[in-house]
Amino acid sequence: MSNREILFRALECFGDPARRGNYFDLYSEHIELHGYAGVGPGLANVKAYYEAFWSAFPDANVKVEDLLEEGNKISLRFLLTGTHRGQFLNLPPTGRSISVPGMTIVQFQNGKCVERWSIADSVLLFTQLGLSTIPGTA
């Protein structure tokens, strides 16, 4: 299976609550994420991050809008959508919908993501949730 197929299979699982556990098949045990404040290296930390995120946004989904592939890296421009139904960064559920653009670079080794760099429009996310200041900055 190609790296692209592995990534798309994982993204299908990301958006399907019944198969979300399979999303983590994408990652190496020693995965390192960049751009995720407070998320340390290792699969256990990645799982904890996403389980908390899915608890806050149970209908979260990622739509790939653009993809570039070179060697063992895939770059994506994506749109993250969902509804705020659970605690998120000490913010109680608002019931508001989010639609947040972002970009990520996924580096593969032996069919697993070993390193990932991501950025998303956090200001837009917080605005969509009704916050006038970014948590941790006031």
Side-chain angles (χ1 to χ4, degrees):
M1 186 178 319
S2 72
N3 291 338
R4 182 186 296 229
E5 290 169 326
I6 292 166
L7 179 60
F8 275 95
R9 178 181 286 175
L11 291 175
E12 287 174 11
C13 294
F14 183 97
D16 180 355
R19 297 187 305 146
R20 283 202 167 132
N22 295 334
Y23 170 72
F24 301 111
D25 293 344
L26 171 66
Y27 295 107
S28 155
E29 283 292 323
H30 307 288
I31 178 63
E32 200 167 332
L33 298 184
H34 306 279
Y36 296 80
V39 179
L43 187 56
N45 291 316
V46 172
K47 284 182 176 181
Y49 170 82
Y50 279 110
E51 287 167 358
F53 183 83
W54 290 324
S55 178
F57 300 93
D59 62 344
N61 195 36
V62 173
K63 178 184 175 197
V64 175
E65 296 192 320
D66 209 356
L67 181 144
L68 298 170
E69 187 172 6
E70 185 172 329
N72 66 344
K73 290 183 181 174
I74 297 177
S75 300
L76 297 177
R77 184 173 57 84
F78 63 85
L79 186 65
L80 173 66
T81 59
T83 309
H84 184 211
R85 302 258 182 236
Q87 189 83 10
F88 179 67
L89 299 175
N90 296 320
L91 177 67
T94 63
R96 294 180 181 219
S97 295
I98 62 163
S99 183
V100 180
M103 294 184 176
T104 193
I105 301 169
V106 182
Q107 181 176 344
F108 286 88
Q109 184 177 1
N110 300 321
K112 296 283 188 179
C113 174
V114 294
E115 201 162 2
R116 183 170 162 209
W117 300 261
S118 296
I119 189 163
D121 191 339
S122 298
V123 173
L124 178 60
L125 169 64
F126 298 135
T127 301
Q128 290 174 354
L129 293 176
L131 298 174
S132 57
T133 60
I134 298 170
T137 63

